[in-house]
Amino acid sequence: MHQNPQQPYPRQPHPGQPYGQQYPPTVIVQKKGNGCLKAVLGGAAVLMVLIVIGVLLGGGDDSQVSLTDGTGETAQAAKPRTSRPSREAPPPGLGDVVKDGKFAFKVTKVEKGLSQVGEGLTAHKAQGQYVLVHLTVKNIGDEAQTFSDYAQKLIDTKGRTFDADTGAAIWLQDSNAFLEKINPGNSVKGFLLFDVPKNLAIKAVELHDSAWSGGVTVSLR
């Protein structure tokens, strides 16, 4: 019998397989996209590792940390509140008790614009105007201390200082400002007399335990 040349040779049967029965062709199925998925997952894992390392390395520096408010906007970390500077206490003034060395002082009144003090032979005319600073001086030390007006200063708004007029004050009754010795626990009332220019803008008086003490300032404004 003549065989058609176009007809392929019959497949030889597999041992144990009946003659004429053929295996179905082997189909190799290749899943598409597995390579891409693995690449994406691998990249995400590397990215997460880098983020964790960055957080660990930068966690100690609070200035580099930013927050996200959930809307995608970056919010800055809250800055610590700084306390407001407290207001300075006003300087002591009339009626306040201040201390310097062994003396405690309380200025009670200020008289300005006097052209003359005293009467008759004790009268003194001011070069400008007389200013009288009335005060109480108390010895808070353990031994007698001498109070003298020459250690006290009057201060104007320009920062200039003026000495007391001791020559006029010693002739005035109850001045108690020239070399007055005060025993411990005792106090005296008197005044300081200053001869200053007219229309002087007075700011304060500087009171001293002695000519060498640091002094304390009392506002007269």
Side-chain angles (χ1 to χ4, degrees), residues 70-160:
T71 61
E73 297 293 334
T74 300
Q76 297 296 329
K79 296 181 180 180
R81 295 182 178 179
T82 56
S83 59
R84 295 182 179 179
S86 58
R87 295 182 179 179
E88 295 183 0
L94 295 178
D96 294 329
V97 177
V98 294
K99 300 177 182 179
D100 181 63
K102 297 179 181 179
F103 284 146
F105 305 95
K106 181 169 70 171
V107 178
T108 57
K109 184 174 66 172
V110 179
E111 293 183 75
K112 299 181 288 184
L114 303 177
S115 60
Q116 177 180 313
V117 292
E119 296 179 356
L121 297 177
T122 62
H124 285 78
K125 290 186 177 181
Q127 296 173 353
Q129 66 164 328
Y130 279 126
V131 174
L132 276 69
V133 178
H134 295 257
L135 75 167
T136 299
V137 183
K138 182 177 181 180
N139 187 339
I140 57 175
D142 297 328
E143 57 185 11
Q145 180 79 2
T146 299
F147 176 74
S148 178
D149 62 352
Y150 71 82
Q152 320 310 321
K153 306 291 182 181
L154 191 69
I155 306 173
D156 70 355
T157 55
K158 296 181 180 180
R160 298 178 297 181

Side-chain angles (χ1 to χ4, degrees), residues 22-213:
Q22 300 179 357
Y23 283 110
T26 301
V27 179
I28 299 176
V29 178
Q30 182 178 2
K31 296 183 179 181
K32 296 182 179 181
N34 283 348
C36 295
L37 180 59
K38 291 181 179 180
V40 171
L41 294 177
V46 173
L47 181 60
M48 289 298 295
V49 172
L50 293 178
I51 292 175
V52 171
I53 293 175
V55 171
L56 293 177
L57 293 179
D61 187 1
D62 294 339
S63 62
Q64 302 296 326
V65 178
S66 61
L67 304 176
T68 303
D69 58 8
T71 61
E73 297 293 334
T74 300
Q76 297 296 329
K79 296 181 180 180
R81 295 182 178 179
T82 56
S83 59
R84 295 182 179 179
S86 58
R87 295 182 179 179
E88 295 183 0
L94 295 178
D96 294 329
V97 177
V98 294
K99 300 177 182 179
D100 181 63
K102 297 179 181 179
F103 284 146
F105 305 95
K106 181 169 70 171
V107 178
T108 57
K109 184 174 66 172
V110 179
E111 293 183 75
K112 299 181 288 184
L114 303 177
S115 60
Q116 177 180 313
V117 292
E119 296 179 356
L121 297 177
T122 62
H124 285 78
K125 290 186 177 181
Q127 296 173 353
Q129 66 164 328
Y130 279 126
V131 174
L132 276 69
V133 178
H134 295 257
L135 75 167
T136 299
V137 183
K138 182 177 181 180
N139 187 339
I140 57 175
D142 297 328
E143 57 185 11
Q145 180 79 2
T146 299
F147 176 74
S148 178
D149 62 352
Y150 71 82
Q152 320 310 321
K153 306 291 182 181
L154 191 69
I155 306 173
D156 70 355
T157 55
K158 296 181 180 180
R160 298 178 297 181
T161 58
F162 302 85
D163 292 334
D165 189 347
T166 303
I170 60 176
W171 298 103
L172 301 179
Q173 187 178 4
D174 299 329
S175 68
N176 293 327
F178 180 70
L179 299 178
E180 183 75 17
K181 181 170 284 188
I182 308 173
N183 280 319
N186 286 345
S187 61
V188 297
K189 292 182 179 180
F191 56 82
L192 303 173
L193 182 65
F194 298 93
D195 189 349
V196 297
K198 294 180 179 179
N199 301 321
L200 181 74
I202 299 172
K203 179 180 180 180
V205 62
E206 188 176 278
L207 303 172
H208 292 262
D209 165 271
S210 68
W212 302 276
S213 68

Side-chain angles (χ1 to χ4, degrees), residues 1-10:
M1 180 177 180
H2 181 72
Q3 187 175 0
N4 187 356
Q6 300 297 327
Q7 181 72 27
Y9 292 99

